[in-house]
Amino acid sequence: SAAPRASAVTMLTARCVIALPARRASRAASRRARAPSTSTSAISPGRALSASYDAADAIDPMSSYDGASCVVTDSIDADEIDRTRVGETLREQIANMGGEQLMDPRDFVSTDAQRRQCAVLFASCAALVGKGMYEFGCDGFTAMEAMMAVGTIGLAYWTSDLGTGIFHWSVDNYGSKATPLLGGVIDAFQGHHKYPWTITKRQWANNVHTTCVAPLVFTTPTLLLNDRATDLIFVGVFTSLIVLSQQFHAWSHMKKSELPPLVLKAQDMGLLVGRRDHGQHHKSPFEGHYCIVSGYWNPILDGSGFFRALEQAVFKATGTAPRCWSDDVEFIVQESAPEGWGRGVLK
């Protein structure tokens, strides 16, 4: 009923409001205790909170962020960074991204235009692989050429996971909706952090088409200008997996009971990224576990500090801080759709 629901919202909001000052004070004390005697300090990132759809609807996801905290890495001197300015900038960026939440189930249905975008991209990838196989076999397919073809496909699969990680990191942390070519993708990824359940409701072309346009910049000239078999096969398979990673991503958000048996088996074997692995990414400030094909590269990149070093280099060169340097963001996440949402519209 309406009364119990309102009561639940009030109680959840009250708990957030009461707990936040104490939590901030506790964190501040912890930071002072950990801070070294040098001019730099490392700040632990915040974490995401979960709420039901109805409760989260009444809470501002950014209300607990003070706008003055940000992660300062050990290799950046305090004199080089205005913590308050960077914190405020990051808060404004995150709060203004992701757009309005889509609630009309019809917006999740694939359109003919979206299907055409997917068809053009995957046709170019198939043509690349086909041309590569032709170049190998035009004078007879030798055992060595067969091994080279299989090895190239394996290399494309292995590196595509790395590619999705770097791409995911870049759109999560830099740019905006106004960024040419990738603006829509960047904004969509930020919205996904707020409403992760929506990716599980999108039909296939509706979900995948957003990443189908940009790769044509690479697939088309490669198809027209390159006759080297391994290059053609690699670009075709690599690009296909990069684009399909958006569907692998959607599967990593679904319950096991919702997945096709082959997909579940592939996740269990580590061939596709699974729910547990990708779930580690959905913790504010979204600073790791970016790879979404198999997840193989996640412990390597996160454990080595690869992205932190890259962020420091970008900051020193441009003065632009990544969004994952934000801290104290008690991010309210709508993890599940309203009961019965999409019934009669989505299949």
Side-chain angles (χ1 to χ4, degrees):
S1 65
R5 180 176 296 174
S7 178
V9 171
T10 303
M11 292 176 64
L12 177 57
T13 306
R15 282 198 295 270
C16 291
V17 171
I18 293 171
L20 285 172
R23 189 179 294 130
R24 287 179 185 155
S26 175
R27 286 181 182 169
S30 177
R31 289 171 189 151
R32 287 194 295 271
R34 292 197 311 265
S37 57
T38 63
S39 60
T40 63
S41 62
I43 300 176
S44 300
R47 65 185 186 279
L49 296 178
S50 297
S52 67
Y53 174 82
D54 292 324
D57 190 51
I59 301 173
D60 176 9
M62 300 302 300
S63 62
S64 61
Y65 184 40
D66 60 16
S69 299
C70 61
V71 174
V72 181
T73 56
D74 291 338
S75 64
I76 297 179
D77 293 334
D79 293 338
E80 296 181 30
I81 183 169
D82 181 341
R83 290 164 54 87
T84 300
R85 178 185 63 80
V86 172
E88 290 174 346
T89 299
L90 292 172
R91 179 188 185 187
E92 182 178 359
Q93 282 184 1
I94 297 170
N96 291 333
M97 295 186 73
E100 293 295 326
Q101 182 183 9
L102 296 177
M103 285 306 300
D104 188 342
R106 291 171 294 184
D107 292 327
F108 293 68
V109 176
S110 297
T111 66
D112 289 340
Q114 292 166 353
R115 295 187 186 97
R116 284 193 292 269
Q117 288 179 351
C118 295
V120 170
L121 184 279
F122 287 109
S124 73
C125 292
L128 283 164
V129 175
K131 183 179 178 181
M133 291 299 185
Y134 172 80
E135 294 295 337
F136 266 142
C138 61
D139 56 353
F141 224 120
T142 66
M144 178 59 70
E145 288 173 332
M147 291 176 60
M148 290 176 65
V150 172
T152 301
I153 292 172
L155 180 64
Y157 164 75
W158 185 57
T159 55
S160 66
D161 189 55
L162 173 63
T164 61
I166 294 174
F167 176 77
H168 191 177
W169 163 81
S170 68
V171 297
D172 263 11
N173 289 289
Y174 300 100
S176 68
K177 192 172 184 177
T179 300
L181 197 60
L182 291 175
V185 176
I186 293 170
D187 198 56
F189 268 76
Q190 294 304 307
H192 173 63
H193 290 164
K194 298 178 181 179
Y195 322 112
W197 65 267
T198 58
I199 196 174
T200 69
K201 301 298 183 181
R202 293 184 180 276
Q203 293 184 349
W204 184 81
N206 184 281
N207 182 34
V208 171
H209 82 280
T210 55
T211 54
C212 284
V213 177
L216 290 171
V217 176
F218 304 100
T219 60
T220 303
T222 303
L223 180 62
L224 297 176
L225 304 175
N226 196 321
D227 294 326
R228 187 175 177 181
T230 51
D231 291 353
L232 293 163
I233 294 172
F234 179 88
V235 173
V237 176
F238 180 88
T239 304
S240 295
L241 290 170
I242 291 289
V243 175
L244 286 171
S245 69
Q246 184 66 353
Q247 185 59 44
F248 305 156
H249 182 192
W251 287 333
S252 73
H253 280 277
M254 295 182 184
K255 300 175 182 178
K256 289 186 176 182
S257 59
E258 298 172 324
L259 294 172
L262 285 178
V263 172
L264 184 57
K265 184 67 173 179
Q267 288 183 346
D268 290 342
M269 294 174 64
L271 298 176
L272 295 179
V273 67
R275 185 180 178 93
R276 178 177 297 180
D277 186 354
H278 184 63
Q280 297 301 308
H281 171 70
H282 282 266
K283 295 180 179 179
S284 179
F286 312 98
E287 61 175 354
H289 286 263
Y290 291 112
C291 302
I292 52 175
V293 173
S294 66
Y296 171 87
W297 284 92
N298 281 328
I300 298 173
L301 297 176
D302 295 344
S304 67
F306 174 82
F307 290 119
R308 302 295 84 79
L310 209 54
E311 291 156 8
Q312 293 162 20
V314 170
F315 181 79
K316 288 182 176 181
T318 67
T320 301
R323 282 183 281 272
C324 69
W325 281 12
S326 61
D327 189 38
D328 290 335
V329 184
E330 299 296 345
F331 214 75
I332 305 298
V333 178
Q334 295 180 9
E335 292 184 332
S336 58
E339 183 67 27
W341 183 90
R343 189 174 298 157
V345 177
L346 297 172
K347 297 180 180 180

